Structure formats: structure tokens, C-alpha cells
Amino acid sequence: MATADKLQYLNETKQQIKAAIIAKGVSVSNTDTFRSYANKIAAIETGSTTIDSQEDALLTGEITTYTNNRITKVRNQGLANFENLESVELGNVTEIGEEGLAYNPNLYDVQIRNAKTLGMSCFRDCYSLSEIYLDGVDAIPAQCFYDCESLMTIHLPSSTKLVTLASVDALAGTAIANGEGSIYVSMHMIDQYKTAANWSEYADRFVAAYGPF
């Protein structure tokens, strides 16, 4: 094979590898060397959208957006105390530990629709959180949303299962507790919620949902 043909073949191979890496969600610029592709492939294995961006931002505390659709559990205080964190998406997480997402004053967007178990004080002092969907939870623990002062809307599962509210203080300090906002539940469950233990404290906040919500 002539040298020119070898170079063309090598370039075509590089372009194919580049396309495959990008397809896995890892960025590759035109200035990245072929040698650097090894690190890019390593980033695919860890699920990072870029080589080090999320990890670096977590370690420095500068992270504003965190997405992870691989893990199924957040440990106690696993994503707590990040002053700049605004958005979290945990698509496959089913369990969040105590204070798992607490003390994030700027956190306003939380996507945890598959979460089933929440730990005590899970979202405590998340002052900017205004709306949350809790599609899969079985219970809301004590102090779960304590002092989430902007929390106006909670969407509970649309099933016929009553979600337990462990303590009235789970919503203490929220806009809902202060007489504003709404708690959306299945139209078939609204009367049960209004009279259920601890939920009855917020009886006038319940709104019947007549479809997917």
C-alpha cells in the first residue's frame, strides 16, 4: 500500500473512531490529537459527558448542573452543600439517603421520577426548589422539605397508593405550609389524603389531577 493510501486509511479510521466517541456523548474537537482519543474512550466508560468536567466541578464545588443516569443510590449527604448547584437529573436513582440533596440554596430543578425511598431531611434548606415530582415514592420522611421556602407544588404518584407523610415538619417552612401552593394527587385519592395522618394538616392544599401529571 502506498504511503498516501496508508495516510488516507489512517485518517478515515480516525474519523470513524471520532464519530463513535461523539455518539456516546463525549465531545471531540478538531484540535484533539489521535493519541488523546484513549482518554476520550475512558470518559465513555465512566459515563462522563466530557473528560473531566463534572468530576472537576464536583470536587471544586463549582458544579451547577449534575446528570447521572447510571447510579441507583445517593448516599447520605451525597449531593449536599453545593452552593452553585441548580439542576440535578438522576434518572435511575431509586434511593436517596439522609440529607442526600440538602443545603443546596440554588437548586431549583430536580428530576428524580424513579426515586422510591427518600432519607430524612433529603431536600432540607433547598431554598430555590419550587416544584417537584415524586412519582415513585412510598413515603416522605421527617424534615424532607424543611425550610424549602419556595416550594409551591408537589406532584405525588398518580396511582391509588397513599404516600405516607412521616411528620408534619416534612413541609415546615415551605410555601405550601404557609398557605400557598398545591399538592397534586390522583382524583381517586384526594379524600384519603385530606384525612390521612399528617397530610390532614395540609387538607386545603390538595388538588385533584385528572390525567397524567
Side-chain angles (χ1 to χ4, degrees):
M1 182 182 292
T3 300
D5 293 332
K6 291 179 179 179
L7 290 174
Q8 181 179 350
Y9 179 79
L10 180 62
N11 185 61
E12 290 175 352
T13 302
K14 178 182 177 182
Q15 294 304 315
Q16 290 174 2
I17 296 174
K18 176 182 177 181
I21 293 172
I22 292 174
K24 291 295 184 179
V26 177
S27 63
V28 182
S29 71
N30 291 331
T31 59
D32 286 322
T33 64
F34 198 11
R35 184 180 292 273
S36 73
Y37 284 14
N39 289 332
K40 302 289 185 179
I41 293 171
I44 294 173
E45 294 174 353
T46 60
S48 175
T49 54
T50 59
I51 297 177
D52 298 311
S53 59
Q54 280 203 143
E55 179 183 347
D56 289 352
L58 276 171
L59 293 175
T60 61
E62 297 174 351
I63 194 163
T64 58
T65 300
Y66 183 73
T67 300
N68 190 316
N69 292 315
R70 304 178 315 279
I71 62 172
T72 58
K73 179 181 178 179
V74 175
R75 65 179 176 83
N76 294 352
Q77 296 189 339
L79 282 171
N81 290 295
F82 287 98
E83 183 176 355
N84 300 308
L85 187 62
E86 298 176 348
S87 176
V88 169
E89 181 180 343
L90 303 169
N92 287 313
V93 162
T94 58
E95 180 181 353
I96 301 176
E98 293 186 7
E99 299 182 340
L101 286 158
Y103 313 116
N104 294 314
N106 291 301
L107 181 63
Y108 70 89
D109 181 21
V110 176
Q111 303 296 326
I112 55 163
R113 286 179 177 260
N114 289 315
K116 298 184 182 302
T117 304
L118 304 178
M120 181 176 177
S121 301
C122 188
F123 294 97
R124 180 171 181 152
D125 291 0
C126 290
Y127 306 126
S128 300
L129 185 63
S130 62
E131 182 176 22
I132 191 163
Y133 288 79
L134 301 175
D135 297 13
V137 299
D138 297 318
I140 296 177
Q143 299 185 11
C144 185
F145 296 102
Y146 193 90
D147 272 354
C148 292
E149 57 190 34
S150 299
L151 187 60
M152 290 281 292
T153 309
I154 296 176
H155 299 265
L156 294 178
S158 57
S159 67
T160 57
K161 177 183 66 177
L162 184 75
V163 174
T164 301
L165 186 65
S167 172
V168 171
D169 71 6
L171 299 175
T174 66
I176 291 172
N178 292 331
E180 303 177 75
S182 303
I183 305 171
Y184 287 88
V185 298
S186 167
M187 60 177 291
H188 304 293
M189 297 293 292
I190 191 166
D191 291 334
Q192 292 185 51
Y193 273 105
K194 286 182 176 182
T195 58
N198 298 319
W199 282 123
S200 60
E201 181 78 10
Y202 307 105
D204 62 344
R205 300 289 93 212
F206 285 99
V207 177
Y210 290 88
F213 61 93

